[in-house]
């Protein structure tokens, strides 16, 4: 049976149970919140590991769900899928480690281009660099990402690594959809420039984006 993101089949019923339903149930039955962890902990952990490395990912993932549990009464249960909310919390936590993230990207950028890809390099290169065929551009890509403004990098990686749509990113970061498009457009352009015109992303193509005053 195929279900939409944020929907899982309940154990005691054939009816699908949304993330929102799980959260609402947890208001009276706190232990029910564990179902949300079971559904999304792995994807939040992968996102954190790609951004900050495996050493930090476990703690950041745990803190994400601790905060989510504490804030569950504020969740808008009209939104069936809780992923944007969870990734928004995780991204805010990543913000506490901006310098560490930039150092990590710069360190990867200094790796010899001929070196075999280890786990940390794959984490930076796998999806954002999926269309880049030359191994030598991995370092340039990492350096390009390190030079992006943090708010642009957040949007880029929520789309590329958290697999969120534009409206979902807007919800995660609590910004307008137009701002998401503008920041993503600028991030992609800067990465293309860093790679000599190559498009390193696997992001969805939309209509041409008009630049706004957002930076």
């Amino acid at each position: 049976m195929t279900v939409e993101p944020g929907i899982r089949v309940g154990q005691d019923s054939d009816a699908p149970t949304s993330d929102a339903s799980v959260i609402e149930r947890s208001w009276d039955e706190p232990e029910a919140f564990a179902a949300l962890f079971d559904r999304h902990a792995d994807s939040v952990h992968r996102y954190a590991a790609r951004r900050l490395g495996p050493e930090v990912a476990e703690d950041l993932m745990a803190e994400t769900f601790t905060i989510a549990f504490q804030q569950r009464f504020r969740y808008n249960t009209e939104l069936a899928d809780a992923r944007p909310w969870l990734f928004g919390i995780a991204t805010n936590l990543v913000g506490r480690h901006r310098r560490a993230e930039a150092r990590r990207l710069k360190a990867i950028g200094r790796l010899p281009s001929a070196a075999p890809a280890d786990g940390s390099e794959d984490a930076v290169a796998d999806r954002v660099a999926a269309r880049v065929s030359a191994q030598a551009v991995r370092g340039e890509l990492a350096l390009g990402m390190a030079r992006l403004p943090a708010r642009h990098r957040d949007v880029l990686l929520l789309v590329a690594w958290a697999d969120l749509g534009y409206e979902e990113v807007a919800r995660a970061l609590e910004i307008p959809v137009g701002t998401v498009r503008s920041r993503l457009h600028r991030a992609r352009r800067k990465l293309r420039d860093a790679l000599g015109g190559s498009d390193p992303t696997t992001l969805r193509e939309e209509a041409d984006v008009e630049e706004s005053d957002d930076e």
Side-chain angles (χ1 to χ4, degrees), residues 14 50 68 84 99 114 159-160 179 207 213:
D14 291 334
R50 285 167 169 168
R99 292 183 179 178
V159 173
T179 301
D213 292 334

Side-chain angles (χ1 to χ4, degrees), residues 18-173:
S18 69
D19 290 344
S21 296
V22 170
I23 294 169
E24 187 171 12
R25 180 182 173 188
S26 77
W27 295 348
D28 296 320
E29 303 174 34
E31 65 276 8
F33 197 84
L36 200 72
F37 181 90
D38 292 340
R39 292 178 185 181
H40 301 301
D42 286 348
S43 59
V44 171
H45 186 277
R46 284 193 300 271
Y47 174 74
R50 285 167 169 168
R51 295 202 62 169
L52 297 173
E55 302 83 3
V56 179
E58 189 73 24
D59 287 342
L60 192 144
M61 180 268 289
E63 189 172 0
T64 294
F65 282 92
T66 297
I67 293 172
F69 179 78
Q70 294 168 345
Q71 297 181 355
R72 69 192 188 282
F73 296 102
R74 297 163 50 188
Y75 185 77
N76 181 359
T77 55
E78 293 182 0
L79 302 173
D81 186 358
R83 291 180 309 132
W85 179 54
L86 294 171
F87 281 113
I89 294 171
T91 300
N92 287 336
L93 293 174
V94 168
R96 300 178 184 176
H97 303 270
R98 295 294 186 197
R99 292 183 179 178
E101 182 181 35
R103 284 197 301 269
R104 181 169 179 271
L105 289 169
K106 290 175 182 178
I108 293 170
R110 291 192 293 268
L111 290 174
S113 60
D118 59 17
S120 61
E121 188 175 359
D122 280 345
V124 172
D126 61 0
R127 288 190 63 183
V128 172
R131 289 186 184 173
V132 179
S133 58
Q135 177 76 14
V137 303
R138 286 178 179 263
E140 294 171 10
L141 174 62
L143 291 174
M145 290 174 62
R147 296 186 186 109
L148 290 176
R151 58 189 178 276
H152 293 179
R153 190 162 62 239
D154 285 343
V155 169
L156 176 75
L157 298 183
L158 281 169
V159 173
W161 287 348
D163 198 27
L164 299 185
Y166 291 7
E167 292 186 0
E168 292 172 320
V169 173
R171 292 211 312 267
L173 299 179

